[in-house]
Amino acid sequence: MRLVALVLSLLVAGTAPAFANPSDEDVQTAWRLLDYVAVDYAGAVAAGKVKSPQEYAEMTEFAGAVETKLAALPPAAQKAELLSEAKAFRGMVAQKAAPKDVAKSARTLAAHLLTAYPVPLAPGKTPDLARGKALYAQNCAGCHGLSGDGHGPDAAKLNPVPVAFADASRARERSPFALYQVIGQGLDGTAMRSFSELPSQDRWNLAFYIGRFAFPDAGKGEQLWKSDAALRSQVPNLAALAGMTPALLGRQIGPDKADAVLGYLRAHPEAVSEAKAGSLTVAHEKLQASLAAYEAGDREAAKKLALSAYLDGFEPVEPALAARDATLMGRIETEMGNLRAAIGRGEPVSAVKDRMAVLDGLFSDAEEVLSPDAASTASTFLGAFTILLREGVEALLIVVAMIAFLRKADRGEMVRHVHVGWIAALAAGALTWAIATFFIGISGASRELTEGFGSLFAAVVLLSVGIWMHGKSQAGEWQRYINETLGKALSRSSAWFLFGLAFIVVYREVFETILFYAALTAQGNGAVILAGAISAVVVLALIAWAMLRFSAQLPVGEFFKYSSWLIAVLAVVLAGKGVSALQEAGIIDIAPLAHMPRIPVLGLFPTWQSIGAQLLTIAVIVAGGWYNERLARKAVAA
């Protein structure tokens, strides 16, 4: 009767007022039914035969109810596949399949359900066990007992008897999320009423407090948790802990270890949520808050929270992810921008929810990539090498072009201002690293603003320099310039210009390199990282030597022509990068551009604003070239 009453309570709409909308209720109800079958089916069937007709009838009804609930869900790309799985699952129950196979099928279908229809599965903040203890003593201990043994002072009066939370065999199949569900919905036909009047966070506090009764040995679990990085990667955040059962984790690490570790984590959930601001947990929580604001009709708040999810949640781990999987990093960056654009356009809630589901899947992939087990000596070396080489080449091209120009202009004494500029940029970069590491840290917004404004400033300067150099590449123009300026020392303002340009272009690259290296060194392998950095420095030195030697052999006109082309390309790249960084910082809106590739090395990002900035830069370059050629023709005619 207890289980029949449970089915009725689950199938009646409105019994769970805490849910955000009917589809969320259907998803959570179906998930709970699957969880229940996975645990209790073994009591109904054994060796292909029915052990308990009553239990088996209820398992059959549960399997049918799951299929009914899934059929009622709104359209989604994975819905047909879910219905097919649900039908197969119902068939397994009808055929009296082995309990372990039914349990596996139920868990798999439940996981696929939450991937297709994400619903809140974790507390908004770390559960408060002290608060949970007080709530338990006030509301639960009278029936379940202070120690969770099911022998409270009122237990003898109840039929059926209260559940013994201290029963380890049953507790191994229960996650905190499943307990949270029961607390919110209750069990009709029993003394277990719904506690939906409690705030959601209090229900989580209770669920985590109850979940620790069967696994009191927290000391061994703490030792395992703190000493095993691979284990920590399997429970990376509160969402994973809330949905984790000891049985599931036990299949990975062994039942004894799983009991100890989850006993410790349920008693100390802060051990999981101690991740710094900037972890993917923060990004996930901010996105959930953004969705809640959007569902409530507060589009502006939703947009700000989505921006915060990027700046405070994803952007700080972006360098480490880019070093290991740049493609995945780019996909997440693009999808987060598309999400903000969708919120800004006022797309339907279902569409925004679908975008967040995609991001949740990408976050899961990122967590696997960022896990300690995913790092290898080769990947760490290549990451350190390619990061410094990539960022260094961009700065090197500009600095070497400035030095070569001064030597061509017979202004060797001014080269020292360029050297002072890039050396000062390196020193400023070291200071930035020290401040970020030991003092105040650097926010995601600060990073993007520094990169964005630095890139745009450099693009504007390079644009003017490139057009000027193109003009001097015209026939006779360079000789006229030499005749007019030879013997005149460059002014103090010119010296500051050389210093400032060298400083800006180098500091921008140093700043970005610092972020990458800080992320790499936090993961260990310092000697390998140093080897990668030294190798990159050697290659950069060879590139600089080759460029200087090549430029020295070029005729002046050819040198200015090639240099102006190079600088024009760099200006276009930096214009795209600058606008993209300011979009990520929330300064410039995002209007996605469909079917446009994302090629960061070229400053190419699939948004109208970024592409527009590059097209404008190209237009200025073309206009400047046309103007230079016109002046040259007039000079020849004169």
Side-chain angles (χ1 to χ4, degrees):
M1 289 299 295
R2 175 170 62 87
L3 295 179
V4 173
L6 169 62
V7 174
L8 293 176
S9 70
L10 290 173
L11 298 180
V12 174
T15 57
F19 297 140
N21 55 57
S23 64
D24 278 1
E25 178 185 343
D26 287 341
V27 171
Q28 292 192 352
T29 297
W31 189 96
R32 186 179 176 210
L33 287 168
L34 289 165
D35 179 74
Y36 206 99
V37 173
V39 176
D40 283 15
Y41 180 81
V45 174
K49 295 182 180 180
V50 174
K51 290 169 56 178
S52 168
Q54 182 180 356
E55 291 274 355
Y56 180 67
E58 288 155 352
M59 295 299 104
T60 302
E61 190 166 359
F62 280 18
V66 168
E67 192 171 7
T68 301
K69 284 293 181 185
L70 297 190
L73 292 175
Q78 304 96 323
K79 184 175 179 180
E81 185 177 347
L82 286 174
L83 288 173
S84 177
E85 283 188 62
K87 183 177 180 180
F89 172 69
R90 182 165 57 84
M92 291 178 70
V93 174
Q95 294 165 13
K96 307 176 186 64
K100 67 175 184 178
D101 294 334
V102 171
K104 181 179 179 181
S105 178
R107 299 294 188 202
T108 302
L109 177 54
H112 291 168
L113 171 62
L114 295 182
T115 300
Y117 296 93
V119 295
L121 297 176
K125 60 182 180 180
T126 304
D128 181 347
L129 273 292
R131 173 66 175 163
K133 181 178 181 180
L135 289 168
Y136 183 84
Q138 178 183 348
N139 299 291
C140 313
C143 298
H144 297 280
L146 280 172
S147 61
D149 59 5
H151 298 305
D154 298 328
K157 309 172 189 176
L158 303 177
N159 183 25
V161 297
V163 169
F165 297 128
D167 179 0
S169 61
R170 186 176 182 83
R172 287 191 183 97
E173 301 290 347
R174 284 283 181 256
S175 66
F177 174 68
L179 293 169
Y180 171 84
Q181 289 279 73
V182 174
I183 293 167
Q185 293 190 345
L187 293 175
D188 286 356
T190 75
M192 177 59 194
R193 71 174 183 85
S194 166
F195 287 88
S196 58
E197 75 277 6
L198 291 176
S200 176
Q201 187 62 37
D202 273 348
R203 299 201 298 277
W204 280 114
N205 295 337
L206 258 178
F208 271 79
Y209 181 77
I210 291 169
R212 50 169 284 285
F213 279 124
F215 313 108
D217 183 12
K220 179 183 176 183
E222 180 178 9
Q223 183 180 5
L224 287 168
W225 176 255
K226 292 183 176 179
S227 63
D228 192 340
L231 175 60
R232 293 195 297 273
S233 71
Q234 295 197 48
V235 193
N237 49 44
L238 274 176
L241 178 59
M244 181 74 71
T245 66
L248 179 62
L249 185 60
R251 288 194 283 273
Q252 305 296 324
I253 66 173
D256 292 341
K257 285 185 177 181
D259 288 354
V261 169
L262 289 185
Y264 167 67
L265 293 179
R266 290 180 182 184
H268 301 278
E270 68 277 2
V272 170
S273 57
E274 276 174 352
K276 296 178 181 177
S279 71
L280 292 178
T281 300
V282 174
H284 175 79
E285 291 172 352
K286 294 283 188 180
L287 286 181
Q288 292 302 312
S290 173
L291 178 59
Y294 196 69
E295 288 178 327
D298 192 345
R299 189 191 302 179
E300 193 60 33
K303 192 173 181 180
K304 288 179 180 178
L305 285 164
L307 175 61
S308 178
Y310 175 79
L311 294 176
D312 302 322
F314 176 71
E315 208 280 343
V317 304
E318 181 182 310
L321 182 58
R324 294 194 183 182
D325 191 335
T327 301
L328 177 59
M329 185 278 293
R331 285 189 63 198
I332 293 177
E333 196 173 69
T334 299
E335 288 298 331
M336 294 194 84
N338 290 343
L339 172 65
R340 284 162 46 205
I343 292 173
R345 290 193 299 267
E347 288 190 1
V349 171
S350 59
V352 172
K353 192 176 288 188
D354 287 344
R355 291 184 181 277
M356 290 191 180
V358 170
L359 280 168
D360 281 337
L362 293 174
F363 284 166
S364 296
D365 294 340
E367 285 169 349
E368 290 183 14
V369 171
L370 292 171
S371 69
D373 290 342
S376 66
T377 299
S379 65
T380 301
F381 176 86
L382 287 174
F385 176 79
T386 55
I387 288 163
L388 184 54
L389 185 65
R390 183 185 68 204
E391 304 300 332
V393 164
E394 197 168 290
L396 194 64
L397 291 174
I398 299 172
V399 171
V400 169
M402 293 169 65
I403 293 172
F405 158 70
L406 290 170
R407 289 178 178 174
K408 289 285 185 182
D410 198 22
R411 289 293 183 267
E413 75 280 2
M414 300 301 292
V415 171
R416 67 176 183 272
H417 296 290
V418 178
H419 288 314
V420 171
W422 69 260
I423 291 171
L426 293 180
L431 180 61
T432 301
W433 172 81
I435 292 173
T437 303
F438 301 109
F439 298 100
I440 61 173
I442 301 176
S443 70
S446 297
R447 293 177 176 126
E448 299 297 347
L449 290 173
T450 299
E451 293 177 17
F453 285 120
S455 295
L456 291 180
F457 175 81
V460 171
V461 172
L462 289 177
L463 196 58
S464 60
V465 170
I467 292 173
W468 179 85
M469 293 184 80
H470 177 266
K472 296 300 174 284
S473 70
Q474 305 299 314
E477 282 301 306
W478 174 247
Q479 192 58 49
R480 253 190 301 276
Y481 175 76
I482 289 294
N483 291 336
E484 292 174 359
T485 60
L486 197 59
K488 296 180 183 178
L490 292 177
S491 67
R492 180 174 297 180
S493 61
S494 298
W496 277 109
F497 169 79
L498 294 170
F499 169 85
L501 181 57
F503 180 89
I504 288 293
V505 297
V506 173
Y507 180 73
R508 180 198 171 280
E509 307 304 333
V510 170
F511 184 84
E512 193 163 344
T513 303
I514 286 170
L515 301 181
F516 282 98
Y517 271 79
L520 285 178
T521 53
Q523 300 165 19
N525 292 328
V528 177
I529 294 170
L530 181 61
I534 292 174
S535 300
V537 168
V538 170
V539 174
L540 288 171
L542 291 174
I543 293 173
W545 173 81
M547 288 178 64
L548 287 171
R549 182 166 183 175
F550 175 73
S551 63
Q553 296 174 351
L554 279 177
V556 171
E558 291 293 304
F559 168 77
F560 273 90
K561 181 171 69 175
Y562 294 139
S563 295
S564 63
W565 289 350
L566 171 63
I567 287 174
V569 170
L570 289 175
V572 173
V573 170
L574 290 174
K577 286 186 174 182
V579 170
S580 177
L582 294 181
Q583 286 178 313
E584 290 165 4
I587 300 298
I588 298 176
D589 285 336
I590 296 176
L593 187 57
H595 310 303
M596 177 64 67
R598 184 182 189 278
I599 311 176
V601 71
L602 300 180
L604 190 63
F605 298 90
T607 70
W608 284 105
Q609 293 87 344
S610 179
I611 298 298
Q614 290 189 311
L615 291 175
L616 178 61
T617 305
I618 292 171
V620 172
I621 291 169
V622 171
W626 172 81
Y627 181 73
N628 285 333
E629 291 177 359
R630 183 184 178 193
L631 289 180
R633 286 195 297 270
K634 284 186 177 180
V636 170

